[in-house]
Amino acid sequence: MARSGYNKILALLTGDENVTGILSSICVWAGQGDEKVAILTPPANGSDFDVTSGPGFPSALAEKLAAGAFSDPVLSNNEALTVTKISPDPEISDWRSVALHEGFDSFRAQSLYSKTDRNVGILVAFSAGQREPSAAQVEILEDAAHLATLALRNARIESEYHESQTQLQSLLSHSRDAIYVHVDRK
């Protein structure tokens, strides 16, 4: 089942689906069993994160994560962060009570990095109970992080392409003697 979900998301990446739809599909696919998954992405402006989540992800927890209370311990570490017992962990005091109230007591977080080592987001998975994720769950979450990174990278490339096209059009429109040469796609 896990591989078919992966293939479906790869198909979305190559289609015309928007990045929010793709990230939401990744959260649904990765949130198997009792896990609830969200992807936090830094917005272009402002300090809060944008949160895309699967169904049933608690809105109160999403609000706390959006405020950035979660990012420091994860962004400072290039490896996935797994906490099997949320209740005593001092690093997460900002949102611990909300997670516990929602019935979560363990989580795994993984930073999403572009090829240039630029952080493009964080994938988080919360679980009920105090437990280490199984090898199969870790593999799915790592695949989900890879897919989310691809989706975010594609969205950034597309945005930069459209911005450069707009700038070029503006330059040509406002230039008195514009010359545009197109040879061999250059």
Side-chain angles (χ1 to χ4, degrees):
M1 178 174 132
R3 201 40 65 183
S4 66
Y6 188 86
N7 292 337
K8 177 184 172 198
I9 294 166
L10 281 176
L12 290 174
L13 280 169
T14 60
D16 290 334
E17 187 78 20
N18 66 29
V19 70
T20 303
I22 294 169
L23 295 178
S24 180
S25 295
I26 291 169
C27 291
V28 169
W29 172 69
Q32 300 177 6
D34 68 344
E35 289 187 322
K36 301 296 180 197
V37 177
I39 297 172
L40 315 175
T41 53
N45 309 8
S47 60
D48 287 357
F49 282 82
D50 293 327
V51 178
T52 305
S53 60
F57 196 90
S59 60
L61 184 55
E63 288 173 19
K64 284 288 190 182
L65 297 178
F70 184 74
S71 61
D72 288 341
V74 178
L75 294 177
S76 63
N77 189 357
N78 280 345
E79 298 178 12
L81 172 66
T82 301
V83 174
T84 57
K85 190 172 183 181
I86 290 175
S87 44
D89 197 315
E91 291 284 326
I92 53 179
S93 60
D94 292 342
W95 52 268
R96 174 179 44 213
S97 62
V98 176
L100 291 171
H101 176 73
E102 296 295 340
F104 301 127
D105 203 16
S106 62
F107 75 91
R108 181 178 171 90
Q110 187 163 344
S111 289
L112 310 175
Y113 288 99
S114 68
K115 286 185 175 182
T116 59
D117 284 336
R118 181 176 152 247
N119 183 274
V120 294
I122 303 169
L123 181 131
V124 294
F126 288 88
S127 299
Q130 301 170 2
R131 62 181 168 80
E132 192 79 29
S134 69
Q137 288 170 317
V138 168
E139 183 178 0
I140 287 172
L141 292 173
E142 287 175 351
D143 286 348
H146 180 72
L147 289 170
T149 302
L150 289 173
L152 292 166
R153 186 182 73 193
N154 286 350
R156 184 180 50 79
I157 289 169
E158 188 174 316
S159 173
E160 288 173 359
Y161 170 75
H162 288 298
E163 182 179 327
S164 69
Q165 290 298 307
T166 301
Q167 289 173 354
L168 176 62
Q169 187 59 46
S170 175
L171 178 68
L172 292 173
S173 297
H174 294 93
S175 178
R176 198 178 88 173
D177 297 321
I179 298 173
Y180 185 78
V181 179
H182 186 275
V183 178
D184 293 331
R185 305 189 87 184
K186 295 182 182 175

